[in-house]
Amino acid sequence: MITITFILKDGSQHLVDADQEENLMQVATFNGVRGIEGACGGFCSCATCHVYVESEHPLPMLAAEEITMLEGTAAERRPNSRLACQIKLNPLLDGLVLRVPDTQ
């Protein structure tokens, strides 16, 4: 299992154990993480799974589609902004920490 920490907008933490086969948006929505909507179902077409990556884990490179969607996020885009649907879990991501923006 891989443990992911979501820091919610009120500052509380939501720890989730997940399988390698999932992406971070699925992990969040399946485990009731408040603030992650995933309205498009993980197809990189809505940006409602925007997160700020707070830890230094190796992540996949940003694809052109993700860059485009991040330009339209409701919350401020930051250098550590990512779409959770575009990050598939692997053992190297154990302990990953993500902050949920104030709005999606």
Side-chain angles (χ1 to χ4, degrees):
M1 292 302 263
I2 299 166
T3 301
I4 307 296
T5 300
F6 292 90
I7 302 172
L8 306 180
K9 62 182 177 179
D10 66 3
S12 64
Q13 295 185 2
H14 190 133
L15 271 67
V16 175
D17 288 325
D19 293 321
Q20 294 187 71
E21 303 302 316
E22 300 172 315
N23 66 51
L24 289 171
M25 183 276 304
Q26 292 169 322
V27 170
T29 56
F30 295 165
N31 289 281
V33 175
R34 295 184 318 267
I36 302 290
E37 296 176 24
C40 72
F43 292 101
C44 196
S45 62
C46 73
T48 61
C49 64
H50 177 211
V51 294
Y52 301 118
V53 179
E54 298 285 315
S55 56
E56 297 294 325
H57 286 77
L59 298 175
M61 296 293 294
L62 286 160
E65 297 83 10
E66 184 176 5
I67 292 169
T68 299
M69 293 310 303
L70 284 169
E71 291 172 1
T73 59
E76 172 190 7
R77 181 180 178 186
R78 299 178 185 165
N80 61 338
S81 286
R82 293 299 300 262
L83 296 182
C85 68
Q86 296 304 294
I87 301 173
K88 186 171 179 169
L89 291 179
N90 68 64
L92 296 175
L93 296 182
D94 187 38
L96 184 68
V97 179
L98 306 167
R99 183 173 299 275
V100 178
D102 290 339
T103 186
Q104 288 290 356

